[in-house]
Each structure stands twice: as C-alpha cells, then as structure tokens.
Amino acid sequence: NRIEVLLATQKPFAQSAIQQMEEALGAANIKLEQLEAYADRKELMERLKNVDALIVRSDIIDKEIIKAGNQLKVIVRAGSGFDNIDIKAAHDAGVIVMNTPGQNANAVAELVFGMLLWGARNGFNGVSGFELKGKTLGIHAFGNVGQNVARIAKGFGMNVLAYDPYTPSVVIYRSGVEPVSCAEELYSKSDIISIHLPYTPLTKKVINRELLQNLPEKAILINTARKEVIHEEDLIAMMKERPQMKYLTDIAPAHPAEFLEMGNRYFATPKKMGAQTLEANSNAAVAAARELINYFESGNVDFKVN
Ligand code: 3PG
C-alpha cells in the first residue's frame, strides 16, 4: 500500500511550498493529502483515518486527535516549537513526533526588527523616537532564532548580550555576543529584550515581575516566542508603573484588553506572522518531507522529540 501523509494546517503554507513538499514526497512514492484552514477538530479527526503520517504547524494535536489516527506512525511539526502537540500521548500511542528546528529562524528574527523599528519610532506617529545603533539588545535564549537576531542586531550597530542556560558561554562568545550569567543580569543591562524561549513546563510565566523589574524604565520587550512564557498580569502592572515601557509581540496575549489601552506602547500582529514568509514555508515544508522520507525509507529518527 502507498504511504499516505496528511498536511493539516489551520494557517496555510504558501502554495509553492506545498508544491515543493508534494514533489519531494511524490518522488519517494508517498501520497500527500491536504486539509487547510479546517473548521474544527472533528474534520481533522475524520481525515486522519488510514493516514500514516501527519504534518502540522501550530495546530493543536491532543490525545483524542492522536487516537483518531488509527494508522498514524509519525507527526511532523513543520516548525520549531512543539508545545501544540501532546508528545506524551503520542509516545503512549507509539507515534513518533519530530520537528524541523531552524527552518523558520531567519524569518522570525527579521520580524523582531520590523516590530522593534515600529517601537523605536513610536508607532510612526511623528514624535521623535530613537535609533538602534549603540543600544543594548538582550537576547533571552540563544537558539536558532536568537542567533539570527544577534547577526542582524550587529548590522544595526547594537551591543548584543545573551542569556541561555543551555548554551555554553564560549559558543555565545564565538558568535560575537557577550554572554551574561543569569536572566536578571540580562534584563538589567539591556535597553531592549528579545524573547526566544520555547514554551515548556519549566518556562511557563517565567517572565514575571521579579524579572521584569530589573529592566530600565524605557525598556522595550519583544516577544516572538510564545505568549505562555509571559506572566501577563505582572507585565500589565509593570507597564502601568512605567509609562514609557513597551511590549511588542507576535503572539497576542490571552487577555489583550488592558494592553490595548496602552496606545503605541503595545503592538501585536493580528495573526502570528513570524514564520509566514515564502522562504520559511519552503524550508519547513521541504524539511518535513525529507524527515518523513528518511523515516519511511530507512527508519531515521534524528529529529524525534518524544
Ligand atoms: C515555530 O515554532 O516554528 C514558530 O512559532 C512558527 O509557528 P507557525 O507554524 O504557527 O507559524
């Protein structure tokens, strides 16, 4: 029987990226089915029947959905963060979960600077803003995205610091970035913070008052990671106490009402846009297809996360 893969994305990839994925899989005699912008989970569960592998983006894949895949062997998260997938339920059901780390990294890093320039120039409202050159940027977590942010920041002439408990200081040094020893130090030494933490049980709401109070009065906080790493109530309280502080995010807060009252001290993309470029879509789509081909042809599980 021909292997069947379902690409289920509530937020669709660019058409040409899907075509590349289809061609790669087709060359390996794997059939690609598509389910885009689906209305509800039931539709997804229905389409999962008799499918061997599933490719998703931020789509929620829980225990019940995994169970509906009666023939499911692999789920590939075409992207980096896999907090949308119940990896334990997948493991218990004998389903392998993989991701495609790094494929979206440059796209996300470029968006950081799109939002940062908007913030530095007061939402382009005509009031005098500030330049990035000479300012200090603190990168909170130095993975693929953080490293791309550092590269671009240096082009702007910024001083770049990074904190990452999982990356040896020497690796940070070698990329021309100054490592600091803890998050508190990073927040106290930076004019601007760019957040690149994955969302895990360990990072839930870690950006709280205790940490935020180290920031200078006029700090800009940029979030292109996940909303769950922010303690929203604490951030709102800090922004009320510090009338020049700004929060710019690619992931709308769970409770945006009070942020929306802050004028151009707050900005959120209407939809999560970090990875929405033709290049990132193609990179992630082709990487997902390759991982599946390698798995089905030779059992390769290099990108397994569960
Ligand atoms: C990622 O984890 O790779 C990014 O957050 C992109 O997510 P998306 O596929 O929902 O755009």
Side-chain angles (χ1 to χ4, degrees), residues 121-133:
R121 301 300 179 102
N122 299 312
F124 306 131
N125 68 355
V127 175
S128 200
F130 69 84
E131 298 177 23
L132 304 188
K133 187 177 174 188

Side-chain angles (χ1 to χ4, degrees), residues 9 11 13 56-59 77-84 99-105 108 145 224-226 250-251 272-276 281 284:
T9 50
K11 183 171 57 180
F13 275 141
V56 292
R57 295 186 67 176
S58 307
D59 310 78
R77 194 306 190 208
S80 178
F82 47 87
D83 47 291
N84 52 313
N99 69 345
T100 65
Q103 305 297 336
N104 295 329
V108 178
V145 182
T224 53
R226 291 290 183 271
D250 187 33
I251 318 96
K272 187 169 161 233
M273 285 300 296
Q276 264 320 42
N281 286 177

Side-chain angles (χ1 to χ4, degrees), residues 256-294:
E258 286 188 81
F259 286 106
L260 287 164
E261 286 166 13
M262 296 183 191
N264 62 21
R265 293 205 292 135
Y266 166 74
F267 172 83
T269 49
K271 280 197 173 168
K272 187 169 161 233
M273 285 300 296
Q276 264 320 42
T277 66
L278 184 55
E279 294 85 348
N281 286 177
S282 298
N283 294 344
V286 171
R290 285 213 187 104
E291 288 179 23
L292 283 178
I293 295 166
N294 287 341

Side-chain angles (χ1 to χ4, degrees), residues 97-306:
V97 180
M98 303 179 187
N99 69 345
T100 65
Q103 305 297 336
N104 295 329
N106 182 63
V108 178
E110 288 189 11
L111 184 69
V112 167
F113 290 89
M115 295 201 291
L116 178 52
L117 287 171
W118 184 96
R121 301 300 179 102
N122 299 312
F124 306 131
N125 68 355
V127 175
S128 200
F130 69 84
E131 298 177 23
L132 304 188
K133 187 177 174 188
K135 299 296 180 299
T136 299
L137 174 71
I139 300 178
H140 194 166
F142 204 64
N144 290 306
V145 182
Q147 290 169 34
N148 276 279
V149 168
R151 170 180 52 78
I152 301 170
K154 281 187 269 169
F156 276 103
M158 303 182 84
N159 308 315
V160 190
L161 311 178
Y163 169 65
D164 189 328
Y166 302 103
T167 305
S169 293
V170 65
V171 174
I172 300 179
Y173 260 126
R174 282 194 190 128
S175 18
V177 171
E178 188 187 325
V180 296
S181 57
C182 60
E184 286 73 17
E185 187 184 352
L186 186 78
Y187 281 55
S188 66
K189 287 183 168 171
S190 302
D191 302 301
I192 298 143
I193 292 285
S194 191
I195 301 164
H196 302 292
L197 297 170
Y199 171 43
T200 71
L202 289 178
T203 62
K204 189 174 180 182
K205 295 190 179 188
V206 289
I207 299 174
N208 56 14
R209 171 181 278 275
E210 224 181 325
L211 183 58
L212 291 167
Q213 69 194 5
N214 295 289
L215 286 168
E217 291 284 323
K218 294 184 190 171
I220 298 185
L221 188 67
I222 304 176
N223 185 5
T224 53
R226 291 290 183 271
K227 66 175 184 296
E228 290 85 354
V229 302
I230 302 280
H231 192 302
E232 284 179 20
E233 296 79 9
D234 282 4
L235 176 57
I236 291 167
M238 291 295 303
M239 288 178 76
K240 284 184 179 162
E241 284 165 30
R242 299 177 172 199
Q244 289 179 289
M245 185 179 168
K246 292 179 178 160
Y247 180 53
L248 316 172
T249 182
D250 187 33
I251 318 96
H255 304 287
E258 286 188 81
F259 286 106
L260 287 164
E261 286 166 13
M262 296 183 191
N264 62 21
R265 293 205 292 135
Y266 166 74
F267 172 83
T269 49
K271 280 197 173 168
K272 187 169 161 233
M273 285 300 296
Q276 264 320 42
T277 66
L278 184 55
E279 294 85 348
N281 286 177
S282 298
N283 294 344
V286 171
R290 285 213 187 104
E291 288 179 23
L292 283 178
I293 295 166
N294 287 341
Y295 173 74
F296 285 115
E297 287 186 349
S298 54
N300 184 301
V301 288
D302 281 355
F303 291 92
K304 185 173 186 272
V305 297
N306 69 335

